[in-house]
C-alpha cells in the first residue's frame, strides 16, 4: 500500500498539467512552423513557375502576331499594312476590354446597409437607439 507521501499533491498535479500543456503548445507551434515553411516553399515555387509560364505565353502572343502579319503578306499585301492591321486588331481588343472594365466598375455600389449599421454601433454601445 502507498503512503501519503507517495500521493501527488494538488499543487504538483497542477504544475505537471501546466508543464505538459506548455510542452504540447510548443510542439504544436513547431509542427505548424514546419508545415508552413513547406507550404511557403511550394507556394514560392508555384509562383515562379506561373511567372515563367506567363512570360512564355507573352512570347507566344508576339510570335503569333508576327505569324498573322506574315500570313497577310502571303495575299500580296505590303508587310507594313499587314503589321498595321494586326496592331489595329490588338488596339480594338484593348478598347473593348477597357469598355467592359469601365462598365464593370460602374456597377460597383457602396455597401449602404453595412455603413448604416456601422454608424449605429456607437449609439447602441451608449444605450441609445439610432
Amino acid at each position: 500500500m502507498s503512503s501519503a507521501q507517495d500521493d501527488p499533491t494538488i499543487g504538483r498535479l497542477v504544475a505537471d498539467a501546466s508543464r505538459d500543456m506548455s510542452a504540447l503548445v510548443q510542439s504544436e507551434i513547431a509542427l505548424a512552423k514546419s508545415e508552413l515553411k513547406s507550404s511557403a516553399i511550394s507556394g514560392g515555387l508555384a509562383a515562379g513557375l506561373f511567372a515563367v509560364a506567363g512570360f512564355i505565353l507573352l512570347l507566344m502572343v508576339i510570335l503569333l502576331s508576327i505569324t498573322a502579319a506574315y500570313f497577310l503578306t502571303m495575299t500580296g499585301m505590303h508587310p507594313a499594312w499587314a503589321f498595321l492591321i494586326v496592331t489595329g486588331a490588338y488596339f480594338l481588343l484593348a478598347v473593348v476590354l477597357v469598355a467592359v472594365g469601365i462598365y464593370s466598375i460602374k456597377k460597383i455600389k457602396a455597401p449602404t446597409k453595412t455603413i448604416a449599421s456601422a454608424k449605429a454601433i456607437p449609439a447602441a454601445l451608449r444605450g441609445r437607439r439610432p
Side-chain angles (χ1 to χ4, degrees):
M1 203 153 153
S2 68
S3 67
Q5 290 178 340
D6 293 338
D7 292 336
T9 63
I10 292 177
R12 180 166 175 118
L13 289 173
V14 169
D16 288 348
S18 176
R19 185 190 68 237
D20 292 344
M21 286 298 294
S22 177
L24 179 63
V25 168
Q26 289 175 356
S27 303
E28 289 297 319
I29 289 172
L31 177 62
K33 283 181 182 179
S34 170
E35 288 179 338
L36 288 175
K37 182 178 179 182
S38 174
S39 294
I41 290 171
S42 296
L45 177 63
L49 292 173
F50 284 136
V52 170
F55 178 71
I56 290 171
L57 285 173
L58 176 65
L59 293 177
M60 286 178 55
V61 167
I62 292 168
L63 290 174
L64 181 64
S65 301
I66 293 169
T67 302
Y70 274 115
F71 274 129
L72 288 174
T73 62
M74 292 172 64
T75 64
M77 186 180 294
H78 189 274
W81 287 111
F83 281 94
L84 184 62
I85 289 171
V86 172
T87 301
Y90 279 122
F91 178 75
L92 289 175
L93 177 63
V95 167
V96 168
L97 292 174
V98 166
V100 170
I102 289 172
Y103 176 75
S104 296
I105 287 176
K106 288 184 178 183
K107 289 174 61 175
I108 297 173
K109 297 178 182 172
T112 54
K113 293 179 182 177
T114 303
I115 292 171
S117 68
K119 286 181 179 179
I121 289 174
L125 290 176
R126 287 191 292 265
R128 295 186 223 136
R129 294 195 80 148

